[in-house]
């Protein structure tokens, strides 16, 4: 026999009380001679012996009553043969978005939580793990509110992450019988990742959704349909019939458009909305679906684009630049070096050093400060460039010019993967009318090649907003400015100097947003949506503020950027669509798992293997018998 609470044996000290009472009540009788009482003396002696016996029996009954009660409170039990295997239980409850699928009148997550609450004993001790939280050695009753209020998590744990986190929750490394109990729909699980894991025995309780048909808004993007309008293209995926489905577009809480779903040229399901190009949108795209509902909504946002300020500093005006940097998108200025107003440098987004023969310190120093503050720079050498002057400036960026070559060189290669040409070309062009340069300089440093010569040397290279041409673009030196390639190249560089915020961002992925605002000291920008707000990592420059996103935000929605109580613009964040991609695939339980139909059968097996014979009830009965014995002695014996 073993005791669950052996410390309560201190209660046996109470046995002293009845013993003391018994000793205090003992009396000594003196003999008194008396004539003619022989018979009375015999009766008195018999009565005295009966009273002593009664007192000893009452003492034993009271000692037995107290001892039985104390031992019953110690919870005595006889262990089974299997209790030597110290079972260590970790319960993993999958609360990913795929658990939103319907199951009768609830969803998979609610059903799994109820299975735990209804079948686990209240004092059952285990460690608990979800996608986002973990609890070490808790009882079922302690987790009741957590299970009832458990929310879905956008995180998707890999097999390795589940194994690592569950191993950390086992109570001790020397526990001999580890078990991981998994409540999941097993969407996206990879059986091969579990075949060689020996960290614990895994017991699975798979739960199947009533249907795996799912409609999902996969993504959205913009296409310019005219000078005044934009097309918002919405791509969808579906396992169900979409003929009667429609996609709604809300601006804030106002429904502004609704359209049907059609099959696009590539076979994708898509919906299209036409909106004004200068619209300000805090949009919500919605489609009706009764199964997974987290992917029925996609948040998108558009802000009124501000004009990008471009300054060209050159010996003479360059008309081709004014035709590229048009007034609808840019504010374009040109100035000679002699007439330059240096105070406007820090106000620009892009500066072009256009074929200056030399870069004096009076210019290179403020331009260097401009670049360090996040500005973009294009350097175009002249026919008679003083290489030493240029290199003194360019060496600060890890680049420079080499000696001039006067041989003709065709411009034949384009790095289509470079951000400058992102979304510029519909397809990679292999044959076009190659421009050429009659004179050119070699480029030093590790700048990434954007456009290259036939001999493999770079014609245009760039890095971190700094772009360097290898040849002048004016006069007879090069016909590149007559090539169709010059417009998308310079226009893209100009637009990239103050990029428009993306239509939306994905939660958990790193992102950078530039805002046309300069913060004063101790000022910050805050992002907020109903019920959630945070302060992102931010860096302030003289012309703009750069916001960095990563772990935050954690909640999808349209966020307004708050500055001094005013809304600058909106940014949209959405959950990853990984659970949507996996939801239609059949779930597979790894073959190494032991499978159970419900939690009751699992907990019943656990109790059978760890069953103990409880004795406390018998000690309570024994205490009652001692009490009854005392009562009988009090009434029957004199």
């Amino acid at each position: 026999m073993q005791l669950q609470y052996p410390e309560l044996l201190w209660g046996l000290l109470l046995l002293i009380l009845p013993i003391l009472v018994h000793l205090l009540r003992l009396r000594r009788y003196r003999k008194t001679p008396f004539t003619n009482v022989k018979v009375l003396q015999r009766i008195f002696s018999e009565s005295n012996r009966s009273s002593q016996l009664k007192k000893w029996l009452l003492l034993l009954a009271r000692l037995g009553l107290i001892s039985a009660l104390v031992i019953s409170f110690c919870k005595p039990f006889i262990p089974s043969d299997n209790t030597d295997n110290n079972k260590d239980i970790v319960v993993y409850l999958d609360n990913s978005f795929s658990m939103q699928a319907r199951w009768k009148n609830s969803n998979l997550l609610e059903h799994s939580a109820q299975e735990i609450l209804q079948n686990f004993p209240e004092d059952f001790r285990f460690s608990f793990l979800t996608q986002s939280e973990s609890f070490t050695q808790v009882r079922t009753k302690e987790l009741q509110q957590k299970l009832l209020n458990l929310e879905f998590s956008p995180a998707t744990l890999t097999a390795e992450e589940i194994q690592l986190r569950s191993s950390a929750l086992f109570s001790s490394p020397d526990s001999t019988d580890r078990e991981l109990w998994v409540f999941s729909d097993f969407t996206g699980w990879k059986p091969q990742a579990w075949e060689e894991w020996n960290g614990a025995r895994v017991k699975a309780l798979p739960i199947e959704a009533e249907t795996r048909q799912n409609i999902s808004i996969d993504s959205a993007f913009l296409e310019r349909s005219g000078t005044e309008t934009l097309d918002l293209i919405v791509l969808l995926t579906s396992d169900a019939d979409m003929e009667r489905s429609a996609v709604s577009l809300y601006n804030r809480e106002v429904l502004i458009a609704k359209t049907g779903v059609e099959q696009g040229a590539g076979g994708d399901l898509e919906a299209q909305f036409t909106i004004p190009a200068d619209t300000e949108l805090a949009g919500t795209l919605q489609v009706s679906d009764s199964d997974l509902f987290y992917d029925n909504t996609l948040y998108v946002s558009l802000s009124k684009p501000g004009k990008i300020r471009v300054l060209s500093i050159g010996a003479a005006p360059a008309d081709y630049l004014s035709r590229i940097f048009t007034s609808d998108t840019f504010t374009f200025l040109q100035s000679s070096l002699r007439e330059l107003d240096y105070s406007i440098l820090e106000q620009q987004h892009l500066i072009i050093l256009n074929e200056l023969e030399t870069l004096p310190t009076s210019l290179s120093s403020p331009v260097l400060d401009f670049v360090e503050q996040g500005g973009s720079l294009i350097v175009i050498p002249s026919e008679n460039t003083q290489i030493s002057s240029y290199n003194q400036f360019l060496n600060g960026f890890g680049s420079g010019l080499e000696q001039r070559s006067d041989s003709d060189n065709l411009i034949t290669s384009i790095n289509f993967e470079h951000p400058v040409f992102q979304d510029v070309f519909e397809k990679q062009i292999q044959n076009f009318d190659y421009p050429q340069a009659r004179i050119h300089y070699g480029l030093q440093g590790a700048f990434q090649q954007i456009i290259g010569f036939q001999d493999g040397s770079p014609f245009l290279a760039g890095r971190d907003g700094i772009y360097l041409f290898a040849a002048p673009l004016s006069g007879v030196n090069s016909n590149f400015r007559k090539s169709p390639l010059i417009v998308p190249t310079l226009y893209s560089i100009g637009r990239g100097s103050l990029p428009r915020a993306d239509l939306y961002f994905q939660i958990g992925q790193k992102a950078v947003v530039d805002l046309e605002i300069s913060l004063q000291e101790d000022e910050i920008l805050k992002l907020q949506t109903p019920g959630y707000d945070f302060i992102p990592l931010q860096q302030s420059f003289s012309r703009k503020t750069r916001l960095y996103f990563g772990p935050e935000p954690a909640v999808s929605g349209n966020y307004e950027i708050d500055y001094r109580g005013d809304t600058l613009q909106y940014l949209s964040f959405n959950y990853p669509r990984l659970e949507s991609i996996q939801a239609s695939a059949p779930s597979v339980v790894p073959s190494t798992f032991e499978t159970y139909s419900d939690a009751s059968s699992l907990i019943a097996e656990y109790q059978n293997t760890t069953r103990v014979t409880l004795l406390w009830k018998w000690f309570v009965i024994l205490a009652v018998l001692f009490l009854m014995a005392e009562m009988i002695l009090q009434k029957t014996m004199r």
Side-chain angles (χ1 to χ4, degrees), residues 263-474:
Q263 192 163 7
D268 297 325
L269 297 173
E270 64 180 45
Q272 180 173 318
F273 299 90
T274 300
I275 56 178
D278 60 348
T279 188
E280 187 173 19
L281 179 69
T284 304
L285 294 162
Q286 286 186 346
V287 65
S288 298
D289 181 18
S290 60
D291 290 311
L292 298 185
F293 52 85
Y294 93 95
D295 55 8
N296 299 343
T297 302
L298 188 73
Y299 298 99
V300 295
S301 57
L302 287 172
S303 300
K304 291 182 179 179
K307 290 190 176 183
I308 301 170
R309 295 186 290 274
V310 180
L311 172 64
S312 174
I313 305 172
D319 294 336
Y320 72 96
L321 292 178
S322 62
R323 292 193 296 269
I324 295 173
F325 300 113
T326 54
S327 60
D328 58 338
T329 305
F330 303 91
T331 299
F332 179 68
L333 297 175
Q334 296 191 81
S335 175
S336 64
L337 183 58
R338 178 176 296 180
E339 298 174 349
L340 178 62
D341 181 1
Y342 286 88
S343 65
I344 68 172
L345 291 180
E346 63 177 16
Q347 302 172 9
Q348 308 305 309
H349 298 111
L350 172 64
I351 292 178
I352 303 174
L353 302 181
N354 187 21
E355 301 189 28
L356 296 172
E357 292 187 1
T358 182
L359 295 180
T361 305
S362 59
L363 175 64
S364 61
S365 180
V367 170
L368 180 61
D369 293 338
F370 165 82
V371 173
E372 290 178 348
Q373 290 295 318
S376 296
L377 175 68
I378 297 177
V379 179
I380 306 173
S382 72
E383 180 179 1
N384 300 311
T385 291
Q386 292 184 11
I387 295 178
S388 60
S389 171
Y390 268 71
N391 286 345
Q392 186 177 359
F393 171 70
L394 293 173
N395 286 341
F397 306 115
S399 185
L401 298 179
E402 296 177 348
Q403 292 300 318
R404 191 180 84 178
S405 173
D406 294 338
S407 60
D408 290 349
N409 206 347
L410 291 178
I411 302 168
T412 60
S413 64
I414 302 173
N415 183 2
F416 292 98
E417 302 299 326
H418 196 276
V420 167
F421 296 127
Q422 186 176 3
D423 300 326
V424 171
F425 300 101
E426 294 184 358
K427 60 181 180 179
Q428 295 189 9
I429 304 172
Q430 300 298 331
N431 54 344
F432 60 98
D433 187 10
Y434 298 129
Q436 64 177 357
R438 290 187 172 88
I439 64 170
H440 61 89
Y441 299 87
L443 300 185
Q444 301 173 352
F447 277 20
Q448 184 179 4
Q449 179 173 301
I450 303 173
I451 302 174
F453 285 116
Q454 188 176 22
D455 60 4
S457 61
F459 170 73
L460 171 63
R463 186 186 66 189
D464 300 331
I466 305 169
Y467 304 91
L468 177 60
F469 281 89
L473 306 183
S474 62

